[in-house]
Coordinates of all heavy atoms in Angstrom, one line a residue:
M1375 N 2.9 35.7 1.6 CA 2.0 34.8 0.9 C 2.5 34.6 -0.5 O 2.4 33.5 -1.0 CB 0.5 35.4 0.9 CG -0.5 34.5 0.3 SD -0.7 33.0 1.3 CE -2.0 32.3 0.5
A1376 N 2.9 35.6 -1.2 CA 3.4 35.5 -2.5 C 4.6 34.7 -2.6 O 4.8 34.0 -3.6 CB 3.7 36.9 -3.1
N1377 N 5.5 34.7 -1.6 CA 6.7 33.9 -1.5 C 6.3 32.4 -1.5 O 7.0 31.6 -2.1 CB 7.6 34.2 -0.4 CG 8.2 35.6 -0.5 OD1 8.4 36.1 -1.6 ND2 8.6 36.2 0.6
I1378 N 5.3 32.1 -0.7 CA 4.8 30.7 -0.6 C 4.3 30.2 -2.0 O 4.6 29.1 -2.4 CB 3.8 30.5 0.5 CG1 4.4 30.8 1.8 CG2 3.2 29.1 0.5 CD1 3.4 30.9 3.0
L1379 N 3.5 31.0 -2.6 CA 3.0 30.6 -3.9 C 4.1 30.4 -5.0 O 4.1 29.5 -5.8 CB 1.9 31.6 -4.4 CG 0.6 31.7 -3.7 CD1 -0.2 32.9 -4.2 CD2 -0.1 30.4 -3.7
Q1380 N 5.1 31.3 -4.9 CA 6.2 31.2 -5.9 C 7.0 29.9 -5.6 O 7.4 29.3 -6.5 CB 7.1 32.5 -5.7 CG 8.2 32.5 -6.7 CD 7.7 32.6 -8.2 OE1 6.7 33.2 -8.4 NE2 8.4 32.0 -9.1
L1381 N 7.2 29.6 -4.3 CA 7.9 28.4 -3.9 C 7.2 27.2 -4.4 O 7.8 26.3 -5.0 CB 8.1 28.4 -2.4 CG 9.0 27.3 -1.9 CD1 10.4 27.5 -2.3 CD2 8.9 27.3 -0.3
V1382 N 5.9 27.1 -4.2 CA 5.1 26.0 -4.7 C 5.1 25.9 -6.2 O 5.3 24.8 -6.8 CB 3.6 26.1 -4.2 CG1 2.7 25.1 -4.9 CG2 3.6 25.9 -2.7
R1383 N 5.0 27.0 -6.9 CA 5.1 27.0 -8.4 C 6.4 26.5 -8.9 O 6.5 25.8 -9.9 CB 4.8 28.4 -8.9 CG 4.5 28.5 -10.4 CD 4.3 29.9 -10.9 NE 3.2 30.5 -10.2 CZ 3.1 31.8 -9.8 NH1 4.2 32.6 -10.0 NH2 2.1 32.3 -9.1
D1384 N 7.5 26.9 -8.2 CA 8.8 26.5 -8.7 C 9.2 25.1 -8.4 O 9.9 24.4 -9.1 CB 9.9 27.4 -8.1 CG 9.8 28.8 -8.6 OD1 9.2 29.0 -9.7 OD2 10.4 29.7 -7.9
H1385 N 8.6 24.5 -7.3 CA 9.0 23.2 -6.8 C 7.9 22.2 -6.7 O 7.9 21.3 -5.8 CB 9.8 23.3 -5.5 CG 11.0 24.2 -5.5 ND1 12.1 23.8 -6.1 CD2 11.1 25.5 -5.0 CE1 13.0 24.8 -6.0 NE2 12.4 25.8 -5.4
W1386 N 6.9 22.3 -7.5 CA 5.7 21.4 -7.4 C 6.1 19.9 -7.7 O 5.5 19.1 -7.1 CB 4.6 21.8 -8.4 CG 5.0 21.8 -9.8 CD1 5.6 22.8 -10.5 CD2 4.9 20.7 -10.7 NE1 5.8 22.4 -11.8 CE2 5.4 21.1 -12.0 CE3 4.4 19.4 -10.6 CZ2 5.5 20.2 -13.1 CZ3 4.5 18.5 -11.7 CH2 5.0 19.0 -12.9
A1387 N 7.1 19.7 -8.5 CA 7.4 18.3 -8.8 C 8.1 17.6 -7.6 O 7.9 16.4 -7.4 CB 8.4 18.2 -10.0
V1388 N 8.8 18.4 -6.8 CA 9.4 17.8 -5.6 C 8.4 17.3 -4.6 O 8.6 16.3 -3.9 CB 10.3 18.9 -4.9 CG1 10.9 18.4 -3.6 CG2 11.4 19.3 -5.9
S1389 N 7.2 18.0 -4.5 CA 6.2 17.5 -3.6 C 5.3 16.4 -4.2 O 4.8 15.6 -3.4 CB 5.3 18.7 -3.2 OG 4.7 19.2 -4.4
L1390 N 5.3 16.3 -5.5 CA 4.4 15.2 -6.1 C 5.1 13.9 -6.0 O 4.3 12.9 -5.8 CB 4.2 15.5 -7.6 CG 3.2 16.6 -7.9 CD1 3.0 16.8 -9.4 CD2 1.8 16.3 -7.2
V1391 N 6.4 13.8 -6.0 CA 7.0 12.5 -5.9 C 6.7 11.8 -4.5 O 6.3 10.7 -4.5 CB 8.5 12.6 -6.1 CG1 9.3 11.3 -5.8 CG2 8.8 13.0 -7.6
P1392 N 7.0 12.5 -3.4 CA 6.6 11.8 -2.1 C 5.1 11.6 -2.0 O 4.7 10.6 -1.4 CB 7.1 12.8 -1.0 CG 8.0 13.7 -1.7 CD 7.7 13.7 -3.2
L1393 N 4.3 12.5 -2.5 CA 2.9 12.3 -2.4 C 2.4 11.1 -3.2 O 1.6 10.3 -2.7 CB 2.1 13.6 -2.9 CG 0.6 13.6 -2.8 CD1 0.2 13.5 -1.4 CD2 0.1 14.8 -3.5
G1394 N 3.0 10.9 -4.4 CA 2.7 9.7 -5.2 C 3.1 8.5 -4.5 O 2.5 7.4 -4.6
F1395 N 4.3 8.5 -3.9 CA 4.8 7.3 -3.1 C 3.8 7.0 -2.0 O 3.5 5.8 -1.8 CB 6.2 7.6 -2.6 CG 6.7 6.5 -1.7 CD1 7.2 5.4 -2.3 CD2 6.6 6.6 -0.3 CE1 7.7 4.3 -1.5 CE2 7.0 5.6 0.5 CZ 7.6 4.4 -0.1
L1396 N 3.3 8.0 -1.2 CA 2.4 7.7 -0.1 C 1.1 7.2 -0.6 O 0.5 6.3 0.0 CB 2.2 9.0 0.7 CG 3.5 9.4 1.5 CD1 3.2 10.7 2.2 CD2 3.9 8.3 2.5
V1397 N 0.6 7.7 -1.7 CA -0.7 7.2 -2.2 C -0.6 5.8 -2.7 O -1.4 5.0 -2.5 CB -1.2 8.2 -3.3 CG1 -2.4 7.6 -4.1 CG2 -1.6 9.5 -2.8
G1398 N 0.5 5.5 -3.4 CA 0.8 4.2 -3.9 C 0.9 3.2 -2.8 O 0.4 2.0 -2.8
W1399 N 1.6 3.6 -1.7 CA 1.8 2.7 -0.6 C 0.5 2.4 0.1 O 0.2 1.3 0.5 CB 2.8 3.4 0.4 CG 3.0 2.7 1.7 CD1 3.8 1.6 1.9 CD2 2.4 2.9 3.0 NE1 3.7 1.2 3.2 CE2 2.9 2.0 3.9 CE3 1.5 3.9 3.4 CZ2 2.5 2.0 5.2 CZ3 1.2 3.9 4.8 CH2 1.7 2.9 5.6
Y1400 N -0.4 3.4 0.2 CA -1.7 3.3 0.8 C -2.5 2.3 0.1 O -3.1 1.3 0.6 CB -2.4 4.6 0.9 CG -3.8 4.5 1.4 CD1 -4.2 4.2 2.7 CD2 -4.9 4.7 0.4 CE1 -5.5 4.1 3.1 CE2 -6.2 4.6 0.8 CZ -6.5 4.3 2.1 OH -7.8 4.2 2.5
F1401 N -2.6 2.4 -1.3 CA -3.4 1.5 -2.1 C -2.8 0.1 -2.1 O -3.5 -0.9 -2.2 CB -3.5 2.0 -3.5 CG -4.6 3.1 -3.6 CD1 -4.2 4.4 -4.1 CD2 -5.9 2.9 -3.3 CE1 -5.1 5.4 -4.2 CE2 -6.8 3.9 -3.3 CZ -6.5 5.1 -3.8
D1402 N -1.5 0.0 -2.0 CA -0.8 -1.3 -2.0 C -1.2 -2.1 -0.7 O -1.5 -3.3 -0.7 CB 0.7 -1.2 -2.1 CG 1.4 -2.5 -2.2 OD1 0.9 -3.4 -3.0 OD2 2.4 -2.7 -1.5
R1403 N -1.2 -1.3 0.5 CA -1.6 -1.9 1.7 C -3.1 -2.4 1.7 O -3.4 -3.4 2.2 CB -1.4 -1.0 2.9 CG 0.1 -0.5 3.0 CD 0.9 -1.6 3.6 NE 0.7 -1.6 5.0 CZ 1.3 -2.4 5.9 NH1 2.1 -3.3 5.4 NH2 1.1 -2.3 7.1
R1404 N -4.0 -1.5 1.1 CA -5.4 -1.9 1.0 C -5.6 -3.1 0.2 O -6.4 -4.0 0.5 CB -6.2 -0.7 0.4 CG -6.6 0.3 1.4 CD -7.6 1.3 0.9 NE -8.7 0.7 0.2 CZ -9.5 1.3 -0.7 NH1 -9.2 2.5 -1.0 NH2 -10.5 0.7 -1.2
N1405 N -4.8 -3.2 -0.9 CA -4.9 -4.4 -1.8 C -4.4 -5.7 -1.1 O -5.0 -6.7 -1.2 CB -4.1 -4.2 -3.1 CG -4.5 -5.2 -4.1 OD1 -5.6 -5.7 -4.2 ND2 -3.5 -5.6 -4.9
D1406 N -3.3 -5.5 -0.3 CA -2.8 -6.7 0.5 C -3.9 -7.2 1.5 O -4.0 -8.4 1.7 CB -1.5 -6.3 1.2 CG -0.4 -6.2 0.3 OD1 -0.5 -6.7 -0.9 OD2 0.7 -5.7 0.7
E1407 N -4.6 -6.2 2.1 CA -5.6 -6.6 3.1 C -6.7 -7.4 2.4 O -7.3 -8.4 2.9 CB -6.2 -5.4 3.8 CG -5.2 -4.8 4.7 CD -5.8 -3.5 5.3 OE1 -7.0 -3.2 5.1 OE2 -5.0 -2.8 6.0
K1408 N -7.1 -6.9 1.2 CA -8.2 -7.6 0.4 C -7.7 -9.0 0.1 O -8.5 -10.0 0.2 CB -8.5 -6.9 -0.8 CG -9.4 -5.6 -0.6 CD -9.7 -5.0 -2.0 CE -10.4 -3.7 -1.8 NZ -10.6 -3.0 -3.1
L1409 N -6.5 -9.2 -0.4 CA -6.0 -10.5 -0.7 C -5.9 -11.4 0.5 O -6.1 -12.6 0.4 CB -4.6 -10.3 -1.4 CG -4.6 -9.7 -2.8 CD1 -3.2 -9.5 -3.3 CD2 -5.4 -10.6 -3.8
A1410 N -5.5 -10.8 1.6 CA -5.4 -11.6 2.8 C -6.8 -12.1 3.2 O -6.9 -13.3 3.7 CB -4.8 -10.8 4.0
L1411 N -7.8 -11.3 3.1 CA -9.2 -11.8 3.4 C -9.6 -12.9 2.5 O -10.2 -13.9 2.9 CB -10.2 -10.6 3.3 CG -10.0 -9.5 4.4 CD1 -11.0 -8.4 4.1 CD2 -10.4 -10.1 5.7
Y1412 N -9.2 -12.8 1.2 CA -9.6 -13.8 0.2 C -8.8 -15.1 0.5 O -9.4 -16.2 0.5 CB -9.2 -13.3 -1.2 CG -9.3 -14.4 -2.2 CD1 -10.5 -14.9 -2.7 CD2 -8.2 -15.0 -2.8 CE1 -10.6 -15.9 -3.6 CE2 -8.3 -16.0 -3.7 CZ -9.5 -16.4 -4.1 OH -9.6 -17.4 -5.0
R1413 N -7.5 -14.9 0.9 CA -6.7 -16.1 1.2 C -7.3 -16.9 2.4 O -7.3 -18.1 2.4 CB -5.3 -15.7 1.6 CG -4.4 -16.8 2.0 CD -3.2 -16.3 2.8 NE -3.7 -15.7 4.1 CZ -3.2 -14.6 4.6 NH1 -2.2 -14.0 4.0 NH2 -3.7 -14.2 5.7
N1414 N -7.8 -16.2 3.4 CA -8.3 -16.8 4.5 C -9.6 -17.6 4.2 O -10.0 -18.5 5.0 CB -8.6 -15.8 5.7 CG -7.3 -15.2 6.2 OD1 -6.2 -15.9 6.1 ND2 -7.3 -14.0 6.7
K1415 N -10.3 -17.2 3.2 CA -11.6 -17.8 2.8 C -11.4 -18.9 1.7 O -12.4 -19.6 1.4 CB -12.6 -16.8 2.4 CG -13.0 -15.8 3.5 CD -13.9 -14.8 3.0 CE -14.3 -13.8 4.0 NZ -15.1 -12.7 3.5
S1416 N -10.3 -18.9 1.0 CA -10.2 -19.7 -0.2 C -9.7 -21.1 0.1 O -8.8 -21.3 0.9 CB -9.1 -19.0 -1.1 OG -8.9 -19.8 -2.2
K1417 N -10.3 -22.0 -0.6 CA -9.8 -23.4 -0.5 C -8.6 -23.6 -1.3 O -7.8 -24.5 -1.1 CB -10.9 -24.4 -1.0 CG -12.1 -24.4 -0.2 CD -11.8 -25.1 1.2 CE -13.0 -25.2 2.0 NZ -12.7 -25.8 3.3
L1418 N -8.3 -22.8 -2.3 CA -7.2 -22.9 -3.2 C -5.9 -22.7 -2.4 O -4.9 -23.4 -2.6 CB -7.2 -21.8 -4.3 CG -6.1 -21.8 -5.3 CD1 -6.0 -23.1 -6.1 CD2 -6.2 -20.6 -6.2
F1419 N -5.9 -21.8 -1.4 CA -4.7 -21.5 -0.7 C -4.6 -22.1 0.7 O -3.7 -21.9 1.5 CB -4.5 -19.9 -0.5 CG -4.3 -19.2 -1.8 CD1 -5.3 -18.5 -2.3 CD2 -3.1 -19.3 -2.5 CE1 -5.1 -17.8 -3.5 CE2 -2.9 -18.6 -3.7 CZ -3.9 -17.9 -4.2
E1420 N -5.6 -23.0 1.0 CA -5.7 -23.6 2.3 C -4.6 -24.7 2.4 O -4.5 -25.5 1.5 CB -7.1 -24.2 2.5 CG -7.3 -24.8 3.8 CD -8.7 -25.3 3.9 OE1 -9.1 -26.1 3.2 OE2 -9.4 -24.8 4.9
R1421 N -3.8 -24.7 3.4 CA -2.8 -25.7 3.7 C -2.5 -25.7 5.1 O -2.7 -24.6 5.8 CB -1.6 -25.5 2.8 CG -0.8 -24.2 3.1 CD 0.5 -24.2 2.3 NE 1.2 -23.0 2.5 CZ 2.0 -22.7 3.5 NH1 2.1 -23.6 4.5 NH2 2.6 -21.5 3.6
P1422 N -1.9 -26.8 5.7 CA -1.5 -26.7 7.1 C -0.3 -25.8 7.2 O 0.6 -25.8 6.4 CB -1.1 -28.1 7.4 CG -1.2 -28.9 6.1 CD -1.8 -28.1 5.1
L1423 N -0.3 -24.9 8.2 CA 0.8 -24.0 8.5 C 1.9 -24.7 9.2 O 1.7 -25.6 10.0 CB 0.3 -22.8 9.2 CG -0.7 -22.0 8.6 CD1 -1.2 -20.8 9.5 CD2 -0.3 -21.4 7.3
K1424 N 3.2 -24.3 8.9 CA 4.3 -24.8 9.6 C 4.3 -24.3 11.0 O 3.7 -23.2 11.3 CB 5.6 -24.4 8.9 CG 5.7 -24.9 7.5 CD 6.9 -24.3 6.8 CE 6.9 -24.8 5.3 NZ 7.9 -24.1 4.5
P1425 N 5.0 -24.9 12.0 CA 5.1 -24.4 13.3 C 5.7 -23.0 13.3 O 6.7 -22.7 12.7 CB 6.0 -25.4 14.0 CG 5.9 -26.6 13.2 CD 5.7 -26.2 11.8
G1426 N 5.0 -22.1 14.0 CA 5.5 -20.7 14.1 C 5.0 -19.8 12.9 O 5.3 -18.6 12.9
E1427 N 4.4 -20.4 11.9 CA 3.9 -19.6 10.7 C 2.5 -19.1 11.0 O 1.6 -19.9 11.3 CB 4.0 -20.5 9.5 CG 3.6 -19.7 8.2 CD 3.7 -20.7 7.0 OE1 3.6 -21.9 7.1 OE2 3.8 -20.1 5.9
D1428 N 2.3 -17.8 10.9 CA 1.0 -17.3 11.2 C 0.1 -17.0 9.9 O -1.1 -17.1 10.0 CB 1.0 -16.1 12.1 CG 1.9 -15.0 11.5 OD1 2.6 -15.2 10.5 OD2 1.9 -13.9 12.0
V1429 N 0.8 -16.7 8.8 CA 0.0 -16.4 7.6 C 0.9 -17.0 6.4 O 2.0 -17.3 6.5 CB -0.2 -14.9 7.3 CG1 -1.2 -14.4 8.4 CG2 1.1 -14.2 7.3
T1430 N 0.2 -17.3 5.3 CA 0.9 -17.8 4.1 C 1.6 -16.8 3.3 O 2.5 -17.1 2.6 CB -0.1 -18.6 3.2 OG1 -1.2 -17.7 2.9 CG2 -0.6 -19.8 3.9
W1431 N 1.1 -15.5 3.3 CA 1.9 -14.4 2.7 C 1.5 -13.1 3.4 O 0.6 -13.0 4.1 CB 1.6 -14.3 1.2 CG 0.4 -13.6 0.8 CD1 0.0 -12.3 1.0 CD2 -0.8 -14.2 0.2 NE1 -1.2 -12.1 0.5 CE2 -1.7 -13.2 0.0 CE3 -1.1 -15.5 -0.3 CZ2 -2.9 -13.4 -0.6 CZ3 -2.3 -15.7 -0.9 CH2 -3.2 -14.7 -1.0
R1432 N 2.4 -12.1 3.2 CA 2.1 -10.8 3.8 C 2.0 -9.8 2.7 O 2.5 -9.8 1.7 CB 3.3 -10.4 4.7 CG 3.3 -11.2 6.0 CD 4.2 -10.6 7.0 NE 4.3 -11.5 8.1 CZ 3.6 -11.3 9.2 NH1 2.9 -10.3 9.4 NH2 3.7 -12.2 10.2

């Protein structure tokens, strides 16, 4: 148990970088979903889609 605590204490920054990336990725996806819902309801972004185009942005 002491070895695990020492390992975490020595290398905490190595675990924070991937964790920060995953949290940022999650919030970015949530924000994209909110914007997509707004886009689908907005008259500002309404336009005819080209053949084969399913959304105006991803």
Side-chain angles (χ1 to χ4, degrees):
M1375 184 68 172
N1377 289 340
I1378 294 172
L1379 291 175
Q1380 185 65 32
L1381 187 67
V1382 169
R1383 190 180 307 139
D1384 291 343
H1385 301 288
W1386 61 270
V1388 175
S1389 62
L1390 285 182
V1391 171
L1393 183 63
F1395 175 79
L1396 291 175
V1397 169
W1399 177 76
Y1400 171 75
F1401 282 120
D1402 188 47
R1403 299 287 277 181
R1404 276 189 50 201
N1405 193 35
D1406 286 348
E1407 289 175 11
K1408 286 182 186 178
L1409 290 174
L1411 290 174
Y1412 172 73
R1413 176 202 64 222
N1414 292 335
K1415 296 178 183 176
S1416 174
K1417 292 293 183 183
L1418 178 65
F1419 296 107
E1420 187 178 56
R1421 66 172 174 84
L1423 298 176
K1424 298 174 185 172
E1427 184 181 22
D1428 54 352
V1429 294
T1430 54
W1431 80 65
R1432 289 191 185 260

